[in-house]
Amino acid sequence: MSAEVITFSLLNGTLYGMLLFLLASGLTLIFSMMGVLNFAHASFFMLGAYFGYEISKIVGFFPALILAPVLVGLFGALIERYGLRRVHKFGHLGELLFTIGVAFVIEEAIQMIWGRSPMDYQVPEALNFTAFEIFGTGYPAFRLFMLIMSVAIFAGLALLLTRTRVGLIVKASLTHPEMVSMLGHDVPLVFMSVFGVGSALAGVAGVIGGPILITQPSMAAALGPILFVIVVVGGLGSLTGAFIASLLVGFIQTFAVAIDLSVADVFGLIGITQPPAALGALVSDIWNVSVSQVGPVIPYLLLVVMLIFRPMGLIGKRA
Amino acid sequence: MTMTKTIFASVIALASASAAFADETFKFAMIDPFSGPAAVVTERIEKVLRYSVDQVNANGGLNGQQIEILTFDNKMSPQETAIQAQKAIDQGARILQTSVSSSNTFALVDFVNKYNRRNPDHQVIVFDGASHDPAITGEKCSYYSFSWVLDADAKTAGLATYLKDRTDITKVYLLNAEGSSGQTTRQSVIDKVGASRPDIEWVGDDTHPLQKITDFTPYIAKIKASGAQAVITSDWGADLALVLKAAGEAGLEAEWYTYFSTGPGAPTAMAQSGLNGLVYSVFDGDAGIQNEGLHAHEAAFRAKMGISASAFPGDSSAIRALSLAAAKAGSNDVDPLIASLEGIEFETIYGAPAHSSPQNHQIVTQMAVSRFIDVPEGTLDEEGTGWGWENVAIIPAEAIALPNECEMKRP
């Protein structure tokens, strides 16, 4: 591997990983603070992208970057207040099924309102230039903006949860709800706010991710599975874990694409050029499959391996 | 007991017979995914089909009989396609059309072959409106089925013909999805383009998972590093849109030869990518072809339906051919219709002569290579982007006529 390829892969991996973290941060926040695995998270992300598109048409991208997440956050808070809270008493399974239902409803609603074709959601003019060039390949300023936003959100959330009273109350509400409410705090309001903030974070990701990806009704379904990989690998409920896992998944996927090595090449090194016939058709099928071909599937393999050997994830507290 | 049963049976038989006689419309079933991610394609095909049918109906229909479109959701599954086909037949459909996926077309042709063998007095016809697999009119061809778009091999042959004159391109990168469609196209490109341009060097050959990738920048870095002057890809939908956007972001200067860049959403992504004049479409045709009839048709269609008509030529061709064939046969019965559909000559919406080959029921017509540019004001654009197609070559029908493997079983 040349220095050029390694530099590109490191850069691309970081940028992609940060996009994933932007998405996963809200999901992991909601899970760690409320214990709710929100299957509708990617749908909130999609709502953020559509709201962002509509609002930026009227007032421009940067106001939309604030307004759209606020709207999504309010929507999330309402979902918590009038839906999730009622389902809560039936346990985790009820919550899980409820969020799956919400995901379907949002997707259908978006198809009804905006139709099935992709929206023409573009990178704002102010950020539509090449930030820097390496080996003749340009890197757009918008991706750097995304990177900065991601790091800022990570730092902001980590500080909020570990260094402020708000974080203290939120964490205590999860483990000792009675005690917290006896101290005079409104615990249901705390949960509603956490869910709202988590949804708003998905909204931020949507406003930023919309122009990079494609703003269309299937965008939620395309990203949902990889988010769960990140949250599980990072450790359910760990913000730092999600951050590390996002980068890890980003690196795995970008480096894998650069590697053209296949099973045949590995055995070629020790002089075996044909698959042993005795091993049957299965082996000859995977004989010529290169790493780059299976790259995007490796994170899911990682998920399975992680669940078997370290179910609490990289830094997770829950098993 | 037996008596009541017989009476009951004959009453039902009489009822259905009289229903058939009282039937005033010619029922045309559209069996396609009306739900799920592929529904965006179906939505547009339905518009093209309805527009063509409305034209025929306004001119008196088929021998005085109006065409009625029935729609059935096959949920993108071959099994469901067969189930919906039975439902369509029960509702009186005489022609069953499917467009979106080749595997559904195979399932439908299979079903109809069996159905027609079992019900020789009530046979039906299959129309294939947009599928891409050469086997549909090749080894799997059927007497009851007609295809109205050029298949992947014909398009690749057209691309090979075009590249013969583009001697400036010598380094080509192949990028295709896994799965049968992507992989057959890849092989076909290596064979056909390799034969017409033996000097071309394949500087890269990547296979990626289908519709699972959200970040194509690593692929673009790889393409750039390979020094490719052109990329040939059979990618479609979100894959194509994302890969072109990533290419635009990185400032990749290679040309893109694509099979599906006329599809929904692709023009929007291409305009966003800013790849001006770098993305080529290898397709049946597009709005960039210089033809007055085409431009008038596009203008009228867009005014009514709000989208471009030329991305789905198969459905317009099917209805044009059907209307001419019915007039020629003087009857709307299946046997005379098939007889006159064989070899029927008509004009496509691109203003090109076309006919349905009597050997394998495959449309024979020209194709186009066009590139996507920022078009001047007043020219036809795509998806309201201000960008549109500029035709660079028309490949005549003779150049893309391939030997066919069809051994048709005729009744």
Side-chain angles (χ1 to χ4, degrees):
Chain A
M1 228 186 259
S2 68
E4 199 173 322
V5 175
I6 293 176
T7 322
F8 277 139
S9 301
L10 279 174
L11 252 170
N12 289 332
T14 313
L15 289 172
Y16 181 51
M18 285 299 100
L19 173 69
L20 292 176
F21 176 73
L22 209 53
L23 268 157
S25 60
L27 184 64
T28 199
L29 177 77
I30 291 174
F31 185 81
S32 59
M33 297 304 139
M34 296 176 66
V36 175
L37 201 50
N38 180 15
F39 268 86
H41 194 76
S43 307
F44 288 130
F45 158 73
M46 177 156 73
L47 270 183
Y50 274 94
F51 286 170
Y53 166 66
E54 287 298 337
I55 297 172
S56 63
K57 269 201 302 196
I58 307 164
V59 293
F61 179 81
F62 292 100
L65 187 59
I66 313 236
L67 291 175
V70 169
L71 276 181
V72 179
L74 284 176
F75 180 74
L78 286 177
I79 294 270
E80 200 281 335
R81 174 66 185 81
Y82 295 102
L84 211 51
R85 197 177 296 177
R86 287 164 193 247
V87 195
H88 184 69
K89 54 177 169 289
F90 303 114
H92 283 315
L93 188 61
E95 292 171 342
L96 205 69
L97 292 175
F98 175 76
T99 58
I100 292 176
V102 170
F104 280 111
V105 172
I106 292 178
E107 187 177 327
E108 280 305 317
I110 281 181
Q111 287 190 5
M112 276 181 214
I113 299 169
W114 283 281
R116 294 189 166 100
S117 301
M119 297 291 114
D120 186 18
Y121 188 10
Q122 299 196 9
V123 172
E125 270 313 308
L127 290 171
N128 196 7
F129 60 92
T130 307
F132 61 92
E133 271 195 23
I134 292 183
F135 303 118
T137 295
Y139 279 86
F142 194 71
R143 293 234 175 201
L144 282 190
F145 171 71
M146 181 189 80
L147 177 93
I148 295 164
M149 285 297 292
S150 254
V151 175
I153 284 177
F154 173 64
L157 273 185
L159 285 178
L160 182 79
L161 292 176
T162 55
R163 297 275 178 274
T164 65
R165 261 183 72 79
V166 177
L168 215 61
I169 296 166
V170 167
K171 277 198 276 188
S173 300
L174 180 69
T175 47
H176 305 88
E178 284 90 2
M179 194 64 210
V180 173
S181 76
M182 266 172 218
L183 288 170
H185 298 289
D186 185 350
V187 174
L189 181 71
V190 169
F191 282 157
M192 190 175 95
S193 318
V194 169
F195 200 84
V197 170
S199 312
L201 285 175
V204 174
V207 180
I208 298 175
I212 293 182
L213 307 172
I214 307 163
T215 307
Q216 60 181 10
S218 59
M219 70 192 297
L223 276 166
I226 198 83
L227 287 191
F228 283 95
V229 172
I230 289 166
V231 173
V232 172
V233 169
L236 283 169
S238 162
L239 199 62
T240 320
F243 190 78
I244 295 172
S246 301
L247 281 174
L248 189 66
V249 169
F251 286 146
I252 288 177
Q253 295 206 347
T254 42
F255 273 99
V257 171
I259 301 171
D260 273 327
L261 204 67
S262 67
V263 179
D265 297 331
V266 174
F267 281 94
L269 293 177
I270 53 168
I272 303 171
T273 50
Q274 283 298 314
L279 291 176
L282 183 68
V283 173
S284 54
D285 274 350
I286 59 168
W287 193 253
N288 285 313
V289 173
S290 65
V291 176
S292 70
Q293 244 166 297
V294 295
V297 193
I298 297 175
Y300 298 96
L301 187 68
L302 188 68
L303 169 80
V304 175
V305 172
M306 196 58 120
L307 281 175
I308 295 172
F309 294 105
R310 197 179 156 82
M312 72 289 273
L314 288 174
I315 321 196
K317 295 179 200 86
R318 289 156 196 274
Chain B
M1 189 63 194
T2 337
M3 192 61 177
T4 26
K5 258 193 185 165
T6 321
I7 291 171
F8 188 59
S10 39
V11 167
I12 289 185
L14 271 176
S16 53
S18 59
F21 282 119
D23 204 343
E24 280 175 356
T25 56
F26 182 93
K27 298 211 166 53
F28 186 105
M30 185 185 169
I31 306 174
D32 274 308
F34 282 87
S35 58
V40 57
V41 180
T42 310
E43 222 169 43
R44 297 195 177 193
I45 289 178
E46 189 184 354
K47 284 185 177 167
V48 175
L49 189 65
R50 288 203 185 274
Y51 187 85
S52 311
V53 165
D54 286 350
Q55 279 185 331
V56 172
N57 283 346
N59 292 327
L62 302 179
N63 296 314
Q65 207 179 9
Q66 296 279 297
I67 305 174
E68 184 189 351
I69 298 171
L70 310 173
T71 56
F72 298 88
D73 184 5
N74 70 6
K75 305 188 178 89
M76 201 67 180
S77 126
Q79 291 81 2
E80 192 66 27
T81 303
I83 295 168
Q84 296 300 327
Q86 182 64 55
K87 259 171 89 177
I89 294 172
D90 291 346
Q91 291 183 25
R94 313 276 276 287
I95 294 182
L96 313 180
Q97 172 176 288
T98 189
S99 305
V100 175
S101 150
S102 302
S103 53
N104 296 339
T105 312
F106 286 128
L108 184 62
V109 171
D110 238 24
F111 174 84
V112 165
N113 283 341
K114 281 183 205 140
Y115 178 86
N116 284 350
R117 206 161 53 228
R118 290 174 195 148
N119 303 279
D121 300 329
H122 187 271
Q123 296 188 324
V124 295
I125 304 175
V126 174
F127 274 7
D128 156 28
S131 37
H132 204 220
D133 196 317
I136 291 167
T137 50
E139 52 189 290
K140 296 254 173 80
C141 70
S142 159
Y143 174 69
Y144 300 103
S145 161
F146 292 83
S147 285
W148 302 108
V149 285
L150 296 169
D151 62 45
D153 280 354
K155 284 170 193 162
T156 309
L159 175 62
T161 310
Y162 172 73
L163 287 177
K164 213 181 266 174
D165 301 329
R166 286 294 303 273
T167 41
D168 54 318
I169 295 176
T170 53
K171 290 180 173 180
V172 178
Y173 201 101
L174 296 169
L175 183 68
N176 294 287
E178 62 186 14
S180 76
S181 166
Q183 291 308 298
T184 21
T185 310
R186 171 185 162 272
Q187 196 53 51
S188 164
V189 167
I190 293 176
D191 294 344
K192 296 198 169 67
V193 177
S196 85
R197 284 290 307 282
D199 59 316
I200 278 184
E201 182 192 348
W202 306 111
V203 292
D205 178 4
D206 256 324
T207 297
H208 65 78
L210 185 66
Q211 312 284 358
K212 279 197 186 67
I213 298 174
T214 44
D215 181 39
F216 272 95
T217 42
Y219 292 92
I220 300 300
K222 216 169 157 185
I223 292 168
K224 186 139 199 171
S226 75
Q229 295 162 298
V231 184
I232 301 178
T233 179
S234 61
D235 281 357
W236 50 276
D239 282 346
L240 182 65
L242 286 171
V243 78
L244 292 177
K245 278 175 92 164
E249 274 186 356
L252 185 74
E253 275 156 16
E255 291 179 357
W256 290 81
Y257 289 89
T258 67
Y259 291 78
F260 298 108
S261 51
T262 52
T268 302
M270 288 188 289
Q272 284 179 0
S273 74
L275 298 169
N276 199 350
L278 289 177
V279 184
Y280 289 73
S281 157
V282 181
F283 198 63
D284 300 55
D286 49 71
I289 295 174
Q290 289 309 321
N291 181 284
E292 275 173 30
L294 168 68
H295 293 173
H297 178 83
E298 275 289 343
F301 185 85
R302 289 172 187 208
K304 194 166 174 210
M305 298 296 191
I307 55 163
S308 153
S310 43
F312 299 101
D315 309 274
S316 313
S317 293
I319 299 301
R320 286 179 178 203
L322 174 66
S323 134
L324 289 172
K328 193 171 128 197
S331 152
N332 293 347
D333 291 335
V334 166
D335 279 336
L337 266 186
I338 292 184
S340 64
L341 275 170
E342 288 198 319
I344 188 79
E345 288 175 10
F346 61 99
E347 193 178 73
T348 64
I349 57 161
Y350 311 119
H355 71 272
S356 177
S357 159
Q359 280 84 44
N360 62 349
H361 296 180
Q362 162 69 39
I363 187 175
V364 180
T365 185
Q366 67 176 33
M367 62 168 279
V369 178
S370 298
R371 57 182 182 171
F372 204 60
I373 56 162
D374 193 348
V375 290
E377 199 74 30
T379 322
L380 288 170
D381 68 343
E382 298 293 329
E383 297 186 341
T385 54
W387 288 48
W389 296 105
E390 178 191 55
N391 186 254
V392 293
I394 295 285
I395 315 290
E398 303 82 67
I400 53 174
L402 300 165
N404 75 73
E405 292 166 19
C406 170
E407 288 166 20
M408 193 173 283
K409 279 193 211 123
R410 286 163 190 278

